[in-house]
Amino acid sequence: NAGVTQTPKFQVLKTGQSMTLQCAQDMNHEYMSWYRQDPGMGLRLIHYSVGAGITDQGEVPNGYNVSRSTTEDFPLRLLSAAPSQTSVYFCASSRDRRNTIYFGEGSWLTVV
Amino acid sequence: GEDVEQSLFLSVREGDSSVINCTYTDSSSTYLYWYKQEPGAGLQLLTYIFSNMDMKQDQRLTVLLNKKDKHLSLRIADTQTGDSAIYFCAETPRGRTSYDKVIFGPGTSLSVIP
């Protein structure tokens, strides 16, 4: 049972480059989301999705795009990376809004 | 507004009890959670408590909820070195239509001294 799988685990980007963080879950969860984690700030929601074809912005959406073409996948795109996007990114999923949130292992991104 | 606060660091000796505290501002919260994050890993749900409960015990873990003071605590009995991690308090305010409104605290880094 894989749960929530994120790739890559580590990535270094140059300012201005674009990339996609992949997230997949095999639990048939409707709810998926992306968080970023910065020291002393906890987790901040970037984007979320309540089902295939439906996405919405979270607390810190600027500089990121998402799409949800299938229930399983929820990729996060950085269009033009900036040093301020250096962070640890977590993908998460849950069955519905009252259920436990399951987190991926995290993706460490450094923008130089 | 919605805010969850925690002390950032806690250090205890192996075998002692650890108490991690959290305060929240939204009195309508229905669920309150404790997540554990080990180095280099994602967050794992440790335990949760419904707002209509005062206490929940699960093996070495005891959660206490003081709704009047909006204070949540996590007590770890007989703390072990494997308990060293960051512990996040989180709340789900009542009436939200999606879990995007799960509010996380900044995390408390627990160091266990052998």
Side-chain angles (χ1 to χ4, degrees), chain A residues 2 15 30-31 50 63 80:
Chain A
T15 297
E30 290 295 323
Y31 286 66
V50 300
S80 178

Side-chain angles (χ1 to χ4, degrees), chain A residues 68-87:
Chain A
R68 184 94 181 271
S69 56
T70 67
T71 299
E72 294 79 18
D73 300 300
F74 191 46
L76 178 73
R77 297 183 190 86
L78 281 71
L79 305 174
S80 178
S84 61
Q85 293 178 304
T86 294
S87 188

